[in-house]
Amino acid sequence: MIYDVLIIGAGPAGMTAAIYARRAGKSVLVLEAKGYGGQIIKTPDIENYPVEPGISGYDFATRLYEQTKALGAEFVFERAEGIVDGNVKKVKTPEGEYGAKSVIIATGSESRPLGVEGETALIGRGVSYCATCDGNFFRNKAVAVVGGGNTALEDALYMADIAETVYLIHRRDSFRGEEATAELLRRRENVKILYNSTVTELIADRRLRQIVVTDKEGVKTTLDVRGLFVAVGRIPENRAFENVIELDGAGWASSGENCRTKTPGVFVAGDNRSKDVRQLVTATADGAVAATEALKYIASL
Amino acid sequence: MAVKEITGAEFEEEVIKSDVPVIVDFKAEWCGPCKVLKSTVEEIAGERADVKVVSVDIDEEEDLVDEYEVFSIPCLVAFKGGSEVGRSIGLASKSEIYGALGL
């Protein structure tokens, strides 16, 4: 079967695109590597999306998933590993290959790792990329948060209520995140801020026990921490599709507001696209635009 | 297939002494990714007659969380003959889960 629209990624952008394409009567396949919902399912309460303040990210994603399925979009849970361009575009997964007239890449982004040796093996054993998900496992323990943006500052503040001590480690001498949050952190007695410092070593047995922090003079300090929360930004999941889309210097998919790419019939939507505002509402908006553009493209064939 | 939720008191009998491999799904009611993963876990329970699948609520069973050093959920732990043989942390596809658990 050749689908009219194949969507890679079942987050808010991808599922919204599926809704628009199905309502236009097109056949739609959504490929998803992990599980529906995308990053929003980690959000406890959504307060900035129109109509229903306080809805949980999980409820939002589940209702969107049910809406999309009810409209007749097909979901397959396999990881898209590449696109072959042609009259029929082919999307490959470890399990098979799917053909479509148009493709919308809505793969979002993943947490950027620190790049310290042993980090990956310690995920779930002390290293975490989501304080609101895993913070409770570190009640009354010492933890470290790494980063200087809003996520890092908010994670540190969240952990200050749970953990015994929070070390906030930032490689520069000032934060990129909001000053108001930084000021709240400076007033907390159990938060210790280490500027101009990076995490250079993880010491662990089966679980994380200590981290080594090195400052810009090269002075090393060993800290006893059970948890290390990494909040140093996100990486777009575009690398598998570099042959059909253009990436900017940081790896985001270059595209205007029309979500088009350098390849006719291939579109990008949501957080993996190069843009200024990455929010739920801009992700769903991208989905609508990309689907509309895909419909126009199909009509032109 | 529905997955049985077990308590710490049942863990020895259901998991440690099990004759077949067991997958334990450590999860919590407030954890969105755990709820998304639930359908995959149920699918595994339905298609693998040779494996037992159970779940543990981490908010109810802190001793199990400590003993098995669970620091992030969703967390699937595979047991064979009473010992851990594999672990899958976070959302993942079914084939990635089988790979991580060695099943």
Side-chain angles (χ1 to χ4, degrees):
Chain A
M1 150 144 202
I2 309 293
Y3 292 90
D4 293 318
V5 185
L6 189 155
I7 297 161
I8 305 172
M15 291 198 280
T16 303
I19 288 172
Y20 273 74
R22 278 304 299 153
R23 285 177 50 81
K26 302 299 173 192
S27 58
V28 174
L29 174 67
V30 183
L31 284 178
E32 165 58 47
K34 292 176 174 173
Y36 70 82
Q39 210 188 322
I40 197 68
I41 60 167
K42 292 181 176 173
T43 301
D45 306 293
I46 300 168
E47 302 290 358
N48 58 6
Y49 193 84
V51 175
E52 200 174 338
I55 187 172
S56 75
Y58 169 75
D59 286 340
F60 180 91
T62 302
R63 282 165 61 179
L64 179 54
Y65 178 55
E66 282 163 0
Q67 181 183 0
T68 311
K69 272 202 306 193
L71 282 167
E74 208 177 306
F75 282 80
V76 169
F77 291 91
E78 295 175 11
R79 181 180 291 277
E81 292 186 324
I83 300 173
V84 180
D85 192 24
N87 287 335
V88 173
K89 299 174 200 313
K90 295 194 170 106
V91 178
K92 298 190 171 184
T93 74
E95 287 86 0
E97 189 178 272
Y98 301 90
K101 293 176 189 167
S102 67
V103 177
I104 297 172
I105 303 169
T107 40
S109 63
E110 58 189 345
S111 303
R112 181 185 298 279
L114 277 180
V116 182
E117 196 181 334
E119 180 179 355
T120 309
L122 286 169
I123 293 172
R125 298 179 189 277
V127 172
S128 171
Y129 302 88
C130 180
T132 52
C133 310
D134 299 332
N136 272 315
F137 293 104
F138 302 92
R139 191 161 291 281
N140 301 323
K141 303 280 197 305
V143 302
V145 175
V146 188
N150 275 326
T151 305
L153 299 185
E154 284 160 17
D155 283 357
L157 202 54
Y158 178 82
M159 289 311 299
D161 287 333
I162 297 172
E164 175 203 58
T165 307
V166 179
Y167 298 97
L168 176 56
I169 301 162
H170 183 40
R171 64 192 165 127
R172 300 192 198 285
D173 60 5
S174 63
F175 294 116
R176 199 161 18 86
E178 281 174 24
E179 178 50 33
T181 317
E183 187 49 36
L184 288 175
L185 284 169
R186 286 186 205 103
R187 286 192 213 147
R188 299 295 288 257
E189 272 179 23
N190 65 337
V191 175
K192 297 180 171 62
I193 301 175
L194 285 69
Y195 296 101
N196 297 312
S197 299
T198 53
V199 177
T200 48
E201 198 184 330
L202 307 178
I203 298 165
D205 39 36
R206 270 174 52 80
R207 63 201 270 184
L208 183 68
R209 298 286 176 185
Q210 292 175 313
I211 58 173
V212 177
V213 176
T214 306
D215 71 14
K216 67 175 177 187
E217 269 83 43
V219 178
K220 290 178 193 289
T221 311
T222 302
L223 302 174
D224 290 329
V225 298
R226 288 298 168 86
L228 176 67
F229 292 92
V230 179
V232 294
R234 302 192 63 85
I235 308 175
E237 300 206 49
N238 287 328
R239 274 159 301 186
F241 316 112
E242 274 184 87
N243 60 320
V244 287
I245 59 177
E246 205 167 307
L247 305 185
D248 70 12
W252 308 96
S254 303
S255 158
E257 293 299 319
N258 58 19
C259 296
R260 290 183 199 165
T261 68
K262 68 174 184 183
T263 308
V266 175
F267 305 89
V268 288
D271 276 4
N272 54 313
R273 185 168 81 79
S274 173
K275 56 167 151 178
D276 291 333
V277 183
R278 290 196 175 82
Q279 288 288 310
L280 184 53
V281 70
T282 64
T284 55
D286 271 12
V289 173
T292 306
E293 289 289 328
L295 299 177
K296 270 196 242 172
Y297 170 78
I298 294 167
S300 75
L301 293 177
Chain B
M1 202 173 106
V3 168
K4 183 183 176 189
E5 185 166 317
I6 62 165
T7 63
E10 294 164 313
F11 199 84
E12 178 81 18
E13 198 59 41
E14 292 278 357
V15 180
I16 301 302
K17 290 182 175 167
S18 170
D19 296 332
V20 295
V22 186
I23 298 171
V24 183
D25 175 13
F26 287 92
K27 47 104 186 168
E29 192 41 49
W30 47 265
C31 165
C34 300
K35 292 193 270 191
V36 170
L37 191 68
K38 190 179 165 195
S39 60
T40 310
V41 172
E42 287 174 346
E43 209 178 304
I44 290 172
E47 73 183 17
R48 289 293 294 266
D50 59 323
V51 175
K52 185 199 281 189
V53 184
V54 297
S55 70
V56 167
D57 185 328
I58 57 128
D59 291 327
E60 302 291 329
E61 306 298 339
E62 286 179 23
D63 290 348
L64 289 178
V65 167
D66 285 344
E67 185 170 356
Y68 293 100
E69 301 188 315
V70 175
F71 297 112
S72 180
I73 51 171
C75 176
L76 304 178
V77 183
F79 291 85
K80 270 185 197 171
S83 304
E84 177 175 342
V85 292
R87 193 176 277 226
S88 172
I89 291 155
L91 265 183
S93 71
K94 201 167 63 177
S95 60
E96 287 167 339
I97 290 169
Y98 282 139
L101 297 184
L103 292 171

